[in-house]
Amino acid sequence: MSYFQPDFIARSAPVRVRFGAGARHEVADEIAQLGASRALILSTPQQSETAMEFAESVGRLAAGVFSRATMHTPVDVSEEATGYAQEIGADCLIAVGGGSTTGLGKAVAYRTDLPQIVIPTTYAGSEATPILGQTENGRKTTLTDAKVQPEVIIYDPELVATLPVSMTVTSALNAMAHAAEALYARERNPLSTALSVEGLKAFVEAMPRVVADPGDLDARGETLYGAWLCGTVLGQVGMALHHKLCHTLGGTFDLPHAETHAIVLPHAIAFNEVSVADQLAPLAQVLGRESAGQALHSFAKSLDAPMALRDLGLKEDDLDRAADIATQNPYWNPRPVERAGLRALLQRAWEGAEPQ
Ligand code: NAD
């Protein structure tokens, strides 16, 4: 069955993607194709060694390394990195890492319009979107701007093979969340639906193989392929309840990003399935079950994913406040979000119970 719709508006970003084991060794060629010759390489402190290896491998094309990328993209770090980029006369940015490092590259590009090459080492998918989330004075805000969209992505399965299994699982569920919500997005179109289903399929097929053998490069490649597709749809259509709820929990209670997504996803999907079971049917089908929410719950459990918000340190007393904040500013969702239903959802996610 095709995903044809009689009316739609679709948009795709002009992004160049280079994919394959060892593809990272072609980064010098990608710098040259951008017409650049002074790259600033970015990473987290934990991945500074990888950043240094890139600097060495591109030789004189590296103008500097900045290894202070931090979760939630604090504005002060972005401003410091921007100052450094200007000081060394950088003419392109290379972000090597997960969503936090990609976020720093985007924040510098937003301020300088420098072209970006992103080399992802998780499945977060930020490299494929024009969205920048940043924090200032404890508040996380997001913006969408063409300057933020990276021009080049290099996906190398060898780099993601070092991601510990627990992070691999939560990062994969985080990526699948983009595609799951894209299936019922208001702006969904035949292309975003096809990309979502293919991305979900890639994760469902490859994740058991990755968990069994984290060094399996074929399986790692298939999951990275899934991350690209799921990230691409995140850049094409708007998200709803699941992403808003994770944003609230992450921002207000400082819960870790990927773990929170992994736990909330089956519950948010089960909540919306009441209204849009037909739109979620391809997800249920990919997972071989009748209910998408139940199927995601079983899939997450089979991968030994974290299942309960209480295990992330959230207090039961905080659930009322979380429900208040998450219903304060109305947003579009396929099923109207009322406080009582959301509070019940949060209770189940907190306990690690089956979704309803
Ligand atoms: P992350 O980038 O914070 O990485 C977590 C930790 O894992 C870091 O210490 C990192 O150095 C380390 N790490 C990453 N890859 C590794 C590897 N292969 N081997 C060993 N260690 C590795 O985590 P994330 O989940 O990738 O990104 C989360 C952030 O991305 C959040 O701030 C989220 O808001 C943002 N995000 C943004 C978008 C967007 O479109 N703007 C999309 C998705 C996520």
Side-chain angles (χ1 to χ4, degrees), residues 2 6 9 25 29 60 77 91 106 120 151 155 166 184 218 227 231 241-242 244 251 258 285 308 310 321 334 352:
S2 94
I9 297 173
H25 299 303
D29 182 45
R60 57 182 182 75
V77 177
D91 58 8
K106 287 172 153 185
E151 284 75 2
Y155 287 108
S166 59
Y184 52 59
D218 273 351
L241 172 70
H242 171 76
K244 302 289 176 196
Q285 207 175 352
R310 69 171 153 206
R321 203 165 132 234

Short mmCIF file of all heavy atoms in Angstrom, two decimals, residues 2 6 9 25 29 60 77 91 106 120 151 155 166 184 218 227 231 241-242 244 251 258 285 308 310 321 334 352:
data_model
loop_
_atom_site.label_atom_id
_atom_site.label_comp_id
_atom_site.label_asym_id
_atom_site.label_seq_id
_atom_site.Cartn_x
_atom_site.Cartn_y
_atom_site.Cartn_z
N SER A 2 0.57 2.21 -0.88
CA SER A 2 1.41 3.42 -0.89
C SER A 2 0.93 4.38 0.20
O SER A 2 -0.14 4.20 0.78
CB SER A 2 1.34 4.10 -2.25
OG SER A 2 0.36 5.10 -2.27
N PRO A 6 -4.14 12.75 -0.92
CA PRO A 6 -4.64 13.58 -2.02
C PRO A 6 -4.14 15.03 -1.98
O PRO A 6 -4.02 15.67 -3.01
CB PRO A 6 -6.16 13.52 -1.87
CG PRO A 6 -6.45 12.81 -0.60
CD PRO A 6 -5.21 12.18 -0.09
N ILE A 9 1.74 19.33 1.46
CA ILE A 9 2.87 20.22 1.19
C ILE A 9 4.09 19.50 1.75
O ILE A 9 4.04 19.03 2.89
CB ILE A 9 2.69 21.58 1.89
CG1 ILE A 9 1.45 22.30 1.34
CG2 ILE A 9 3.94 22.45 1.75
CD1 ILE A 9 1.09 23.57 2.07
N HIS A 25 37.05 9.09 6.98
CA HIS A 25 38.38 9.40 6.44
C HIS A 25 38.29 10.34 5.23
O HIS A 25 39.30 10.81 4.73
CB HIS A 25 39.13 8.12 6.08
CG HIS A 25 39.33 7.22 7.28
ND1 HIS A 25 39.98 7.64 8.42
CD2 HIS A 25 38.94 5.94 7.53
CE1 HIS A 25 39.97 6.66 9.33
NE2 HIS A 25 39.35 5.62 8.80
N ASP A 29 38.14 15.76 2.06
CA ASP A 29 37.50 15.94 0.75
C ASP A 29 36.21 16.78 0.90
O ASP A 29 35.92 17.66 0.09
CB ASP A 29 37.18 14.56 0.17
CG ASP A 29 36.57 14.64 -1.20
OD1 ASP A 29 37.09 15.42 -2.01
OD2 ASP A 29 35.56 13.94 -1.45
N ARG A 60 46.63 20.45 7.84
CA ARG A 60 46.58 21.92 7.83
C ARG A 60 45.17 22.47 7.59
O ARG A 60 44.94 23.67 7.72
CB ARG A 60 47.57 22.50 6.82
CG ARG A 60 47.35 21.99 5.44
CD ARG A 60 48.31 22.48 4.40
NE ARG A 60 47.93 21.91 3.12
CZ ARG A 60 46.89 22.31 2.40
NH1 ARG A 60 46.15 23.31 2.81
NH2 ARG A 60 46.60 21.72 1.26
N VAL A 77 28.46 28.84 26.50
CA VAL A 77 29.44 27.99 25.81
C VAL A 77 29.41 28.29 24.31
O VAL A 77 30.45 28.40 23.65
CB VAL A 77 29.16 26.48 26.07
CG1 VAL A 77 30.13 25.60 25.29
CG2 VAL A 77 29.24 26.17 27.57
N ASP A 91 36.53 28.82 8.69
CA ASP A 91 35.58 29.02 7.58
C ASP A 91 34.64 27.82 7.42
O ASP A 91 33.86 27.77 6.48
CB ASP A 91 36.32 29.34 6.26
CG ASP A 91 37.32 28.25 5.86
OD1 ASP A 91 37.34 27.19 6.52
OD2 ASP A 91 38.06 28.47 4.88
N LYS A 106 25.53 23.91 15.57
CA LYS A 106 24.39 24.68 15.06
C LYS A 106 24.34 26.07 15.69
O LYS A 106 24.03 27.06 15.01
CB LYS A 106 23.09 23.93 15.37
CG LYS A 106 22.87 22.68 14.53
CD LYS A 106 21.67 21.93 15.07
CE LYS A 106 21.00 21.10 14.00
NZ LYS A 106 19.76 20.48 14.48
N PRO A 120 27.92 12.23 13.10
CA PRO A 120 27.18 11.78 14.28
C PRO A 120 27.74 10.49 14.86
O PRO A 120 28.15 9.59 14.13
CB PRO A 120 25.76 11.54 13.75
CG PRO A 120 25.72 12.16 12.39
CD PRO A 120 27.12 12.11 11.87
N GLU A 151 25.08 21.38 6.32
CA GLU A 151 25.18 21.19 4.87
C GLU A 151 25.61 19.77 4.51
O GLU A 151 25.23 19.24 3.47
CB GLU A 151 26.21 22.17 4.27
CG GLU A 151 25.73 23.60 4.13
CD GLU A 151 25.66 24.39 5.43
OE1 GLU A 151 26.02 23.86 6.50
OE2 GLU A 151 25.23 25.55 5.39
N TYR A 155 28.04 9.74 7.84
CA TYR A 155 27.64 8.66 8.75
C TYR A 155 28.63 7.51 8.61
O TYR A 155 28.74 6.91 7.54
CB TYR A 155 26.25 8.14 8.37
CG TYR A 155 25.11 9.07 8.73
CD1 TYR A 155 24.41 9.76 7.74
CD2 TYR A 155 24.69 9.20 10.05
CE1 TYR A 155 23.33 10.59 8.07
CE2 TYR A 155 23.61 10.02 10.38
CZ TYR A 155 22.94 10.71 9.40
OH TYR A 155 21.89 11.51 9.73
N SER A 166 23.79 0.49 26.66
CA SER A 166 22.64 1.15 27.31
C SER A 166 22.32 2.46 26.58
O SER A 166 21.15 2.78 26.33
CB SER A 166 22.94 1.41 28.78
OG SER A 166 24.08 2.22 28.89
N TYR A 184 1.64 10.75 12.67
CA TYR A 184 0.36 11.47 12.83
C TYR A 184 0.52 12.99 12.81
O TYR A 184 -0.40 13.71 13.18
CB TYR A 184 -0.39 11.01 14.08
CG TYR A 184 0.38 11.02 15.40
CD1 TYR A 184 0.97 12.18 15.91
CD2 TYR A 184 0.49 9.85 16.16
CE1 TYR A 184 1.64 12.19 17.12
CE2 TYR A 184 1.16 9.83 17.38
CZ TYR A 184 1.73 11.01 17.86
OH TYR A 184 2.40 11.02 19.05
N ASP A 218 27.53 -4.07 10.16
CA ASP A 218 26.35 -4.06 9.26
C ASP A 218 25.13 -3.59 10.02
O ASP A 218 24.37 -2.74 9.55
CB ASP A 218 26.07 -5.48 8.74
CG ASP A 218 26.89 -5.76 7.49
OD1 ASP A 218 27.49 -4.80 6.98
OD2 ASP A 218 26.93 -6.92 7.05
N ALA A 227 18.64 6.30 11.87
CA ALA A 227 18.78 7.60 12.54
C ALA A 227 18.68 8.74 11.54
O ALA A 227 18.07 9.79 11.81
CB ALA A 227 20.11 7.66 13.27
N GLY A 231 15.73 11.35 11.80
CA GLY A 231 16.13 12.75 11.99
C GLY A 231 15.58 13.62 10.86
O GLY A 231 15.14 14.75 11.09
N LEU A 241 2.51 15.50 21.48
CA LEU A 241 2.53 15.18 22.92
C LEU A 241 3.85 14.59 23.42
O LEU A 241 4.40 15.05 24.42
CB LEU A 241 1.38 14.20 23.24
CG LEU A 241 1.39 13.63 24.66
CD1 LEU A 241 1.04 14.69 25.68
CD2 LEU A 241 0.40 12.47 24.78
N HIS A 242 4.34 13.57 22.74
CA HIS A 242 5.54 12.88 23.25
C HIS A 242 6.71 13.85 23.41
O HIS A 242 7.35 13.90 24.47
CB HIS A 242 5.93 11.73 22.32
CG HIS A 242 7.26 11.16 22.68
ND1 HIS A 242 7.45 10.35 23.77
CD2 HIS A 242 8.50 11.39 22.16
CE1 HIS A 242 8.73 10.07 23.89
NE2 HIS A 242 9.39 10.68 22.92
N LYS A 244 6.68 17.16 23.52
CA LYS A 244 6.39 18.24 24.47
C LYS A 244 6.58 17.75 25.90
O LYS A 244 7.14 18.44 26.74
CB LYS A 244 4.94 18.74 24.32
CG LYS A 244 4.58 19.23 22.95
CD LYS A 244 5.25 20.55 22.61
CE LYS A 244 4.93 20.93 21.18
NZ LYS A 244 5.75 21.94 20.60
N GLY A 251 13.48 19.72 30.84
CA GLY A 251 13.76 21.11 31.19
C GLY A 251 13.48 21.40 32.66
O GLY A 251 14.28 22.05 33.33
N ALA A 258 17.77 11.17 26.27
CA ALA A 258 17.42 9.94 25.54
C ALA A 258 16.65 8.96 26.43
O ALA A 258 15.68 8.32 25.98
CB ALA A 258 18.69 9.30 24.98
N GLN A 285 2.47 -2.51 12.67
CA GLN A 285 2.78 -3.55 11.68
C GLN A 285 4.28 -3.86 11.65
O GLN A 285 4.68 -5.03 11.62
CB GLN A 285 2.33 -3.05 10.32
CG GLN A 285 1.98 -4.15 9.36
CD GLN A 285 1.43 -3.56 8.06
OE1 GLN A 285 1.19 -2.34 7.94
NE2 GLN A 285 1.24 -4.40 7.08
N ALA A 308 11.03 3.02 33.74
CA ALA A 308 10.29 3.79 34.75
C ALA A 308 10.96 5.14 35.02
O ALA A 308 12.18 5.19 35.25
CB ALA A 308 10.20 3.00 36.04
N ARG A 310 10.73 6.80 37.63
CA ARG A 310 11.25 6.85 39.00
C ARG A 310 12.71 6.41 39.05
O ARG A 310 13.47 6.87 39.88
CB ARG A 310 10.39 6.04 39.96
CG ARG A 310 10.44 4.56 39.78
CD ARG A 310 9.70 3.88 40.94
NE ARG A 310 9.18 2.60 40.52
CZ ARG A 310 8.14 2.01 41.08
NH1 ARG A 310 7.48 2.59 42.04
NH2 ARG A 310 7.74 0.85 40.66
N ARG A 321 3.04 18.45 39.33
CA ARG A 321 3.64 19.66 38.74
C ARG A 321 3.95 19.43 37.26
O ARG A 321 3.70 20.29 36.41
CB ARG A 321 4.92 20.02 39.50
CG ARG A 321 5.26 21.48 39.35
CD ARG A 321 6.28 21.92 40.39
NE ARG A 321 7.33 22.65 39.71
CZ ARG A 321 8.62 22.37 39.81
NH1 ARG A 321 9.03 21.37 40.54
NH2 ARG A 321 9.49 23.10 39.16
N PRO A 334 -2.94 15.04 18.14
CA PRO A 334 -4.09 14.40 17.47
C PRO A 334 -5.23 14.07 18.43
O PRO A 334 -6.38 13.97 18.01
CB PRO A 334 -3.50 13.12 16.87
CG PRO A 334 -2.20 12.91 17.56
CD PRO A 334 -1.71 14.26 17.97
N GLY A 352 6.60 2.49 35.52
CA GLY A 352 7.09 1.48 34.57
C GLY A 352 6.01 0.46 34.24
O GLY A 352 6.32 -0.67 33.86
#
